[in-house]
């Protein structure tokens, strides 16, 4: 891990992004797939940051729930989704945390949802589920709610992600390899009006013959009501294997033609991210948004590993239309490579004034265990 530099420095892209902090350990235990949100619908608890990671104990895979009451300067574990809550199904992967912005069925606004891909290690006959839990006490206790998707075959389903569409329906997005051409994967979604009963699966980005594999969907609602999704597409021959793409929806329900791969995200320099993208949205006074993007690996225009690999964010000042500029990341993982730990699916949370961004990223610690680290970097005011 490398600490940030002076907050007085200015980066090569014109935005300042430095931190005087050294990255801190989030839990000190094995921590994978970090996710974090800022509460906005919980009354006096608003502005707290809730984080989650997948961890493993002698009981199996579990979800650790953490809270920060000082804007990301420290975190304390406040809850967990224990292995015993996974209905005896081994294997846990790629979880997410979400705060309901409005009532969904009997779930009031402010309810926290946590979902994970359960069954990842269940062997060749596994039937993976995207299993959903709920919390009404700020993550202290959790109750099983439903499965937003279930694999009809021994093939997998991964990476659940929630949004609420313009009609007020809960949407569960995920990567689906349970059906289709051998070796392929698609992005799919299910919809619910109550969080319990889910409509049949719909395809968002379709597989193609061969090993074309869209995955890792992340969705955010922009200030103008548009919905933005970022994802990777792996199984592509050549240098753009697992490059990061985006697409938009006017209402969070209609994502356009599933055969359209979307738009690959390129920085003005020609550099691009591959693997595990996530984004943060910072509203701007005139109704647009600054988008901050992180990916696992940074590559040059010719496909070689770029300087700043594992230690760079990209920023667009005008929704997702670019140009995308590169800035140093608060948590640097300069040895990042294609692996489930180093800088894998890092998470970002903007500060209340939009001038700083919290990052939680994973890396191998000196003891060889994958652990999560967090730090906050400053973003200078943009145009």
């Amino acid at each position: 891990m490398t600490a940030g530099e002076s907050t007085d420095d200015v980066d090569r892209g014109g935005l300042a992004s430095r931190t005087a902090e050294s990255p801190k350990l989030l839990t000190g235990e094995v921590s994978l797939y970090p996710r974090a949100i800022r509460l906005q619908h919980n009354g006096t608890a608003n502005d707290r940051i809730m984080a989650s990671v997948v961890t493993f104990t002698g009981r199996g895979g579990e979800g650790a729930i953490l809270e920060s009451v000082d804007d990301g300067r420290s975190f304390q574990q406040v809850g967990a989704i224990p292995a015993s809550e996974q209905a005896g199904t081994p294997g846990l992967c790629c979880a997410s945390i979400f705060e309901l912005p409005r009532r969904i069925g009997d779930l009031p606004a402010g309810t926290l949802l946590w979902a994970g891909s359960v069954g990842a290690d269940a062997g060749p006959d596994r039937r993976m589920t995207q299993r959903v839990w709920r919390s009404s006490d700020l993550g202290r206790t959790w109750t099983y709610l439903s499965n937003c998707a279930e694999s009809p075959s021994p093939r997998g389903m991964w990476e659940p992600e929630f949004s609420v569409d313009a009609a007020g329906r809960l949407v569960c997005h995920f990567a689906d390899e349970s059906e289709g051409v051998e070796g392929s994967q698609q992005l799919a979604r299910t919809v619910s009006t109550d969080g319990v009963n889910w409509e049949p699966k719909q395809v968002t980005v379709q597989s193609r013959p061969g090993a074309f594999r869209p995955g890792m969907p992340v969705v955010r609602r922009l200030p103008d009501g548009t919905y933005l999704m970022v994802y990777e597409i792996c199984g592509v021959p050549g240098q753009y294997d697992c490059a990061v793409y985006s697409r938009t929806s006017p209402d969070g329900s209609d994502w356009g033609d599933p055969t359209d791969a979307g738009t690959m995200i390129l920085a003005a320099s020609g550099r691009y991210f591959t693997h595990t993208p996530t984004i943060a949205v910072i509203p701007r006074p005139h109704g647009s948004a600054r988008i901050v993007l992180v990916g696992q690996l940074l590559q040059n225009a010719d496909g070689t590993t770029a300087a700043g690999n594992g230690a760079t964010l990209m920023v667009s000042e005008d929704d997702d239309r670019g140009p995308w500029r590169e800035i140093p990341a608060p948590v640097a993982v300069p040895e990042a490579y294609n692996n489930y730990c180093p800088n894998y699916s890092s998470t970002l949370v903007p500060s209340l004034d939009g001038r700083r961004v919290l990052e939680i990223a994973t890396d191998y610690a000196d003891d060889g265990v994958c652990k999560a680290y967090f730090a906050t970097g400053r973003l200078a005011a943009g145009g």
Side-chain angles (χ1 to χ4, degrees):
M1 308 297 299
T2 59
E5 302 173 32
S6 167
T7 55
D8 296 328
D9 291 340
V10 177
D11 73 279
R12 58 182 175 267
L15 287 169
S17 179
R18 292 293 192 268
T19 173
E21 303 174 358
S22 294
K24 302 172 186 177
L25 276 170
L26 187 67
T27 70
E29 305 296 333
V30 57
S31 303
L32 305 173
Y33 216 84
R35 287 292 181 266
I37 57 172
R38 184 184 296 279
L39 298 183
Q40 302 179 64
H41 306 281
N42 268 281
T44 58
N46 282 352
D47 302 332
R48 297 185 192 185
I49 297 174
M50 305 300 300
S52 76
V53 293
V54 173
T55 189
F56 291 89
T57 70
R59 297 178 296 273
E62 302 188 345
I65 308 300
L66 301 103
E67 178 186 72
S68 174
V69 297
D70 56 8
D71 205 24
R73 289 184 288 275
S74 65
F75 284 87
Q76 297 77 39
Q77 185 167 347
V78 296
I81 295 90
S84 62
E85 291 293 320
Q86 294 171 35
T89 304
L92 176 64
C93 170
C94 21
S96 64
I97 189 168
F98 183 73
E99 181 192 31
L100 287 182
R102 56 166 295 166
R103 175 175 289 274
I104 302 289
D106 293 333
L107 305 174
T111 300
L112 298 184
L113 302 180
W114 192 88
S117 299
V118 176
D121 297 329
D125 295 325
R126 68 188 178 193
R127 294 291 189 272
M128 291 187 68
T129 61
Q130 308 308 293
R131 193 168 172 85
V132 185
W133 290 262
R134 60 168 290 184
S135 173
S136 58
D137 58 2
L138 302 176
R140 271 64 180 172
T141 59
W142 295 82
T143 304
Y144 168 72
L145 180 64
S146 63
N147 290 346
C148 66
E150 301 183 17
S151 176
S153 75
R155 303 185 66 187
M157 285 181 166
W158 315 95
E159 304 140 10
E161 165 85 1
F162 290 115
S163 64
V164 172
D165 67 17
R169 303 178 303 171
L170 183 62
V171 184
C172 178
H173 308 266
F174 51 94
D176 177 27
E177 62 176 4
S178 66
E179 298 175 292
V181 179
E182 182 71 24
S184 68
Q185 180 171 273
Q186 61 191 7
L187 296 185
R189 64 193 188 276
T190 55
V191 175
S192 175
T193 59
D194 59 8
V196 177
N197 301 289
W198 296 86
E199 296 180 6
K201 177 178 65 180
Q202 303 174 66
V203 177
T204 307
V205 183
Q206 188 171 309
S207 298
R208 297 178 185 172
F212 186 88
R213 292 176 61 85
M216 311 290 290
V218 171
V219 177
R220 299 288 183 268
R221 187 178 185 273
L222 303 182
D224 67 359
T226 301
Y227 291 74
L228 172 65
M229 177 187 292
V230 295
Y231 48 96
E232 66 182 24
I233 298 182
C234 295
V236 178
Q239 72 179 70
Y240 296 116
D241 185 36
C242 293
V244 174
Y245 289 74
S246 71
R247 67 197 303 118
T248 59
S249 167
D251 56 8
S253 176
D254 179 5
W255 289 95
D257 183 355
T259 65
D260 179 3
T263 302
M264 192 171 77
I265 296 177
L266 293 171
S269 64
R271 287 183 284 263
Y272 57 95
F273 284 133
T274 56
H275 299 280
T276 71
T278 64
I279 49 174
V281 174
I282 303 174
R284 308 189 66 185
H286 47 74
S288 68
R290 174 183 290 173
I291 311 296
V292 186
L293 169 71
V294 62
Q296 184 179 28
L297 307 180
L298 181 66
Q299 295 181 220
N300 290 315
D302 64 2
T304 58
T305 300
N309 176 56
T312 298
L313 307 180
M314 289 186 188
V315 178
S316 170
E317 293 292 348
D318 187 14
D319 296 334
D320 69 329
R321 291 185 287 272
W324 290 89
R325 296 189 267 180
E326 301 161 68
I327 64 172
V331 181
V333 187
E335 302 303 319
Y337 63 103
N338 182 11
N339 177 270
Y340 71 88
C341 177
N343 202 35
Y344 189 91
S345 202
S346 302
T347 191
L348 304 169
V349 178
S351 63
L352 290 171
D353 62 8
R355 297 179 178 178
R356 299 171 67 83
V357 63
L358 165 73
E359 180 183 20
I360 306 176
T362 51
D363 196 7
Y364 287 113
D366 290 342
D367 60 4
V369 174
C370 187
K371 299 179 181 181
Y373 299 80
F374 67 96
T376 299
R378 190 171 66 187
L379 299 172

